[in-house]
Amino acid sequence: MNAVIDKSAEKVAYENNKLHKRLCRLVGQAIGDFNMIEEGDKVMVCLSGGKDSYALLDILLTLRERAPIHFDIVAVNLDQKQPNFPADVLPRYLTDLGVPFHIENQDTYSIVTRLIPEGKTTCSLCSRLRRGILYRVADELGCNKIALGHHRDDILETFFLNMFFGGKLKGMPAKLVSDDGKHMVIRPLAYVKEEDTERYAAVKGFPIIPCDLCGSQENLQRKQIKAMLRDWEKKTPGRVESVFSALSTVVPSHLMDRNLFGFTDLKTDGVANPLGDIAFDEEPCSTPATVPGIIPLQPK
Ligand code: SF4
């Protein structure tokens, strides 16, 4: 009996270790691919008390120990004075961890509830207020980078939200200059799946603070997109990964944005493209070989 228990405990430990390694590898890869952190940076890690931001801080601390460069980390939580916010949880966690931290107390909850009629979604004003405060705090703490805990699934959901409801091909950037032009905002979890941060939070036993204390409902459209992606992945495993990889493999000449590609000035140069084009842009039933004067594209 003991041998069986030992075996399963060993397996759990092995899987947990694999998960930690995967998170470190993916975060390290995103940091490298987008040059997110450089020598001498002071990174403000925004900690909401949710699973993703805990995972972000934890993995960044591990990577910092192994990194060939020196950078500083300061954890920052914005206490928005939502009812029942357990204000003692994060200070205790961060003190035990030995990480420099700052808790910014700003009652955005009252502002939002005063300005937004009851029953309407408050997230957009709340996020705008939070963003402004975080930029100011980054300035005061001397942080040049602001790290946020958005992961691969947040990026994908945003991409589909923009496409379905905003008519734009636009995701969530892994790295961008803040609205005030002074800081670099980075998303080191950009390659990490949400299910991995979920599992990691459970493994590490992070003291999670629920995100619905303000009483606001999660955006219904985002909920629908999340369900759609989950359903796709169930029916066609690998599809979500393929869509995500498409975000880094953009072919402007095969889209319709005239600002991205110079369609109007496009000229023929008489030089054949040696690779041809193997994209999915042909009619499945076309038979170009039978059309006189047309040289069919040769598959690679
Ligand atoms: S869920 Fe509440 S705290 Fe979070 S962004 Fe929306 S209004 Fe703000």
Side-chain angles (χ1 to χ4, degrees), residues 80 82 122-123 126-127 130 211 214 216:
Q80 297 176 269
Q82 294 154 0
T122 48
C123 295
C126 175
S127 315
R130 185 168 48 217
C211 60
C214 65
S216 177

Side-chain angles (χ1 to χ4, degrees), residues 89-136:
V89 170
L90 284 167
R92 197 176 328 117
Y93 174 79
L94 293 165
T95 305
D96 291 350
L97 205 59
V99 183
F101 70 91
H102 170 76
I103 307 288
E104 179 71 13
N105 292 290
Q106 290 284 328
D107 186 357
T108 61
Y109 177 76
S110 300
I111 302 175
V112 164
T113 44
R114 183 159 39 84
L115 295 179
I116 306 276
E118 219 182 312
K120 297 266 181 228
T121 174
T122 48
C123 295
S124 122
L125 175 62
C126 175
S127 315
R128 242 178 310 138
L129 291 171
R130 185 168 48 217
R131 205 159 49 217
I133 294 166
L134 288 173
Y135 291 165
R136 174 182 55 74

Side-chain angles (χ1 to χ4, degrees), residues 140-187:
E140 288 169 6
L141 296 175
C143 296
N144 61 329
K145 299 271 166 79
I146 301 176
L148 302 176
H150 296 109
H151 44 64
R152 185 202 74 164
D153 299 69
D154 289 321
I155 293 173
L156 277 169
E157 286 160 23
T158 306
F159 173 70
F160 283 107
L161 276 168
N162 279 324
M163 185 161 34
F164 291 175
F165 304 104
K168 277 194 188 126
L169 213 58
K170 175 182 167 186
M172 188 185 248
K175 181 182 181 185
L176 77 153
V177 175
S178 59
D179 301 347
D180 63 4
K182 292 187 195 158
H183 311 96
M184 196 62 77
V185 177
I186 56 172
R187 295 190 165 101

Side-chain angles (χ1 to χ4, degrees), residues 44-300:
M44 177 172 115
V45 180
C46 300
L47 203 60
S48 64
K51 61 183 185 352
D52 305 323
S53 56
Y54 274 120
L56 172 65
L57 176 64
D58 186 283
I59 299 295
L60 281 182
L61 288 170
T62 308
L63 291 181
R64 189 177 59 163
E65 277 170 30
R66 304 173 184 170
I69 56 166
H70 173 84
F71 63 95
D72 289 317
I73 288 178
V74 186
V76 168
N77 169 253
L78 173 58
D79 180 345
Q80 297 176 269
K81 301 296 164 201
Q82 294 154 0
N84 304 321
F85 182 78
D88 56 319
V89 170
L90 284 167
R92 197 176 328 117
Y93 174 79
L94 293 165
T95 305
D96 291 350
L97 205 59
V99 183
F101 70 91
H102 170 76
I103 307 288
E104 179 71 13
N105 292 290
Q106 290 284 328
D107 186 357
T108 61
Y109 177 76
S110 300
I111 302 175
V112 164
T113 44
R114 183 159 39 84
L115 295 179
I116 306 276
E118 219 182 312
K120 297 266 181 228
T121 174
T122 48
C123 295
S124 122
L125 175 62
C126 175
S127 315
R128 242 178 310 138
L129 291 171
R130 185 168 48 217
R131 205 159 49 217
I133 294 166
L134 288 173
Y135 291 165
R136 174 182 55 74
V137 171
D139 253 353
E140 288 169 6
L141 296 175
C143 296
N144 61 329
K145 299 271 166 79
I146 301 176
L148 302 176
H150 296 109
H151 44 64
R152 185 202 74 164
D153 299 69
D154 289 321
I155 293 173
L156 277 169
E157 286 160 23
T158 306
F159 173 70
F160 283 107
L161 276 168
N162 279 324
M163 185 161 34
F164 291 175
F165 304 104
K168 277 194 188 126
L169 213 58
K170 175 182 167 186
M172 188 185 248
K175 181 182 181 185
L176 77 153
V177 175
S178 59
D179 301 347
D180 63 4
K182 292 187 195 158
H183 311 96
M184 196 62 77
V185 177
I186 56 172
R187 295 190 165 101
L189 297 183
Y191 293 161
V192 172
K193 295 180 191 173
E194 183 171 20
E195 64 180 57
D196 276 354
T197 61
E198 229 159 51
R199 260 194 59 209
Y200 194 64
V203 169
K204 297 287 285 189
F206 295 140
I208 302 288
I209 300 175
C211 60
D212 56 357
L213 295 171
C214 65
S216 177
Q217 297 294 320
E218 196 190 350
N219 178 314
L220 190 65
Q221 289 165 337
R222 189 173 281 274
K223 245 180 170 168
Q224 287 168 347
I225 300 283
K226 207 183 252 291
M228 178 191 81
L229 293 175
R230 209 174 302 126
D231 192 48
W232 277 359
E233 200 47 31
K234 215 164 111 197
K235 289 186 183 144
T236 328
R239 178 181 290 183
V240 170
E241 201 50 52
S242 177
V243 176
F244 187 68
S245 131
L247 295 183
S248 345
T249 320
V250 178
V251 186
S253 64
H254 285 47
L255 295 172
M256 307 282 283
D257 191 333
R258 284 165 292 138
N259 294 318
L260 269 189
F261 189 77
F263 292 103
T264 46
D265 300 326
L266 197 58
K267 302 257 187 308
T268 54
D269 59 7
V271 180
N273 179 351
L275 297 176
D277 183 348
I278 54 158
F280 295 96
D281 60 357
E282 292 175 64
E283 292 292 331
C285 58
S286 66
T287 51
T290 63
V291 181
I294 303 257
I295 301 166
L297 293 171
Q298 297 299 318
K300 259 206 294 191

